[in-house]
């Protein structure tokens, strides 16, 4: 596996591969890699010739400085895992490579209401940072395919919109959420969970499962209240349970009449903020 820390080395390599007609798949991450990330690597490998994984913990998308400080960094293990999965390229830039002119940035795009709900409402500035870094990284890597997880459904929708706004030819591909046997969605943040909190963390999955079981028969407002109750207690600090249209991400009041419906949860378990979602339709 090639590891590139400098943009110019990465682009030199990728430009050559593109000239040879190779399809480039790109999997951007913030590291602390797990099997969820690896499923995206596998997906990329199944549809491209060269798979490039990016690891960059982007400070501009962290609204909480202590969250950034505590974000797990496991670069040696990440490299080992990527090599085991036969990833072709790791792009591992420094802050200066990504933001040579500093990180000040004015978001020129209008994403509409989807930008300001759920994660947008509870983590002010988060999506500005996400769009800033993804735009910058895509301009550098210029992949044919961009592979991102359903785990971050709202992020996926916003990047989808970004590509649309830019009339980009990059194909955005969704990878399903990989879970532990218990059902807990894999996440870099799970490493920070106290072992005694794992059963509480599993309640996100159980609540989503409860919503899925009852969505077609129960009033949505009532169902949301019951879901909120399931995530109440000393170890929980619920940020939101929302049932939204899968396209607009606007909350819905009726299950029928929507092509796609997604239930989304963000909740602190102890000091760790977890998110998860189920596509219900
Ligand atoms: P992160 O490193 O958390 O920023 O995530 C990098 C990419 O991996 C994003 O596209 C995520 O949606 C995706 N991802 C994170 N967790 C999982 C998971 N459990 N299963 C599949 N993809 C995931």
């Amino acid at each position: 596996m090639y590891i590139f820390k400098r943009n110019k080395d990465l682009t030199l390599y990728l430009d050559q591969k593109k000239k040879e007609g190779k399809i480039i798949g790109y999997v951007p991450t913030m590291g602390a890699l797990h099997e969820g990330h690896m499923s995206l690597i596998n997906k990329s490998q199944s549809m491209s010739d060269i798979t490039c994984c990016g690891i960059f913990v982007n400070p501009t998308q962290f609204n909480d400085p202590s969250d950034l400080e505590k974000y797990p960094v496991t670069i040696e293990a990440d490299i080992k895992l990527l090599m085991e999965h036969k990833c072709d390229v790791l792009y591992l830039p420094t802050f200066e490579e990504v933001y040579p002119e500093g990180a000040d940035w004015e978001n020129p795009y209008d994403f509409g209401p989807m930008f300001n709900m759920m994660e947008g409402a509870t983590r002010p500035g988060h999506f500005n940072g996400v769009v800033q870094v993804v735009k910058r990284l895509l301009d550098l890597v210029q992949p044919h395919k961009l592979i991102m997880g359903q785990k971050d459904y709202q992020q996926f929708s916003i990047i989808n919109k970004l590509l649309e706004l830019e009339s980009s030819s990059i194909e955005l591909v969704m990878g399903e959420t990989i879970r532990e046997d218990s059902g807990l969605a894999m996440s870099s943040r799970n490493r920070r969970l106290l072992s005694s909190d794992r059963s509480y963390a599993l309640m996100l999955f159980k609540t989503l499962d409860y919503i899925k079981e009852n969505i077609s028969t129960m009033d949505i407002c009532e169902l949301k209240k019951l879901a909120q109750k399931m995530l109440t207690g000393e170890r929980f600090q619920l940020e939101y349970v929302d049932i939204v249209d899968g396209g607009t991400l606007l909350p819905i009041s009726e299950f029928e009449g929507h092509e796609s419906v997604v239930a989304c949860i963000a909740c602190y378990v102890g000091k760790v903020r977890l998110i998860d979602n189920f596509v219900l339709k």
Side-chain angles (χ1 to χ4, degrees):
M1 181 173 73
Y2 290 99
I3 303 179
F4 296 114
K5 295 191 169 180
R6 291 176 191 277
N7 301 335
K8 66 173 177 23
D9 297 328
L10 174 80
T11 46
L12 201 67
Y13 173 84
L14 290 180
D15 284 351
Q16 179 57 37
K17 293 294 167 191
K18 286 173 198 165
K19 265 187 214 142
E20 291 168 16
K22 307 284 189 206
I23 301 294
I24 313 292
Y26 179 42
V27 180
T29 80
M30 296 205 299
L33 301 179
H34 49 68
E35 286 305 320
H37 296 116
M38 289 310 113
S39 75
L40 303 184
I41 298 289
N42 291 343
K43 202 169 196 69
S44 169
Q45 287 167 332
S46 73
M47 50 181 64
S48 15
D49 302 305
I50 301 285
T51 288
C52 174
C53 177
I55 297 184
F56 178 62
V57 183
N58 174 39
T60 72
Q61 71 189 69
F62 284 83
N63 53 313
D64 174 0
S66 82
D67 189 24
L68 172 60
E69 221 168 85
K70 290 189 209 126
Y71 201 83
V73 176
T74 61
I75 194 65
E76 296 295 326
D78 292 352
I79 291 172
K80 190 164 170 272
L81 201 56
L82 288 169
M83 285 175 66
E84 280 165 13
H85 283 78
K86 301 193 165 29
C87 183
D88 303 292
V89 174
L90 168 59
Y91 172 46
L92 188 63
T94 58
F95 177 88
E96 287 72 23
E97 285 289 306
V98 177
Y99 300 120
E101 276 144 33
D104 287 347
W105 189 68
E106 201 65 39
N107 176 9
Y109 304 101
D110 180 8
F111 291 91
M114 73 162 64
F115 204 69
N116 300 315
M117 14 234 330
M118 299 193 287
E119 292 298 284
T122 51
R123 301 183 68 189
H126 169 63
F127 283 130
N128 263 327
V130 169
V131 171
Q132 175 187 22
V133 77
V134 172
K135 161 91 181 106
R136 170 77 179 130
L137 295 172
L138 290 183
D139 285 348
L140 284 166
V141 179
Q142 298 189 19
H144 300 94
K145 294 173 197 284
L146 170 65
I147 300 93
M148 299 182 84
Q150 182 208 314
K151 166 80 171 25
D152 297 270
Y153 190 90
Q154 192 176 6
Q155 168 176 278
F156 186 95
S157 305
I158 285 169
I159 299 306
N160 195 28
K161 181 91 184 167
L162 170 71
L163 296 178
E164 191 186 299
L165 289 168
E166 295 231 298
S167 309
S168 170
S169 61
I170 298 171
E171 184 193 345
L172 180 61
V173 179
M174 183 184 273
E176 63 172 318
T177 302
I178 304 300
R179 300 176 179 280
E180 294 181 0
D181 290 343
S182 62
L184 176 66
M186 290 192 183
S187 164
S188 306
R189 292 170 194 271
N190 291 355
R191 292 166 201 253
R192 292 186 42 228
L193 281 172
L194 299 175
S195 54
S196 52
D197 274 344
R198 288 196 150 249
S199 57
Y200 294 106
L202 189 53
M203 283 307 290
L204 274 78
F205 172 77
K206 289 191 172 162
T207 304
L208 288 167
D209 202 43
Y210 181 78
I211 293 174
K212 183 177 131 197
E213 288 306 310
N214 293 288
I215 187 81
S216 53
T217 53
M218 230 190 234
D219 172 66
I220 288 194
C221 195
E222 203 51 42
L223 186 54
K224 259 165 66 170
K225 276 191 204 146
L226 288 171
Q228 284 162 356
K229 233 178 172 174
M230 290 174 78
L231 293 164
T232 304
E234 203 212 316
R235 298 308 293 162
F236 297 120
Q237 194 190 318
L238 180 62
E239 298 239 293
Y240 59 81
V241 178
D242 267 324
I243 301 172
V244 301
D245 180 283
T248 62
L249 302 197
L250 291 170
I252 61 165
S253 50
E254 296 281 337
F255 188 53
E256 299 311 323
H258 297 270
E259 210 172 288
S260 162
V261 173
V262 188
C264 303
I265 294 178
C267 185
Y268 279 91
V269 176
K271 291 199 160 62
V272 186
R273 188 178 188 279
L274 300 176
I275 61 170
D276 199 355
N277 66 75
F278 269 21
V279 175
L280 305 170
K281 181 156 60 160

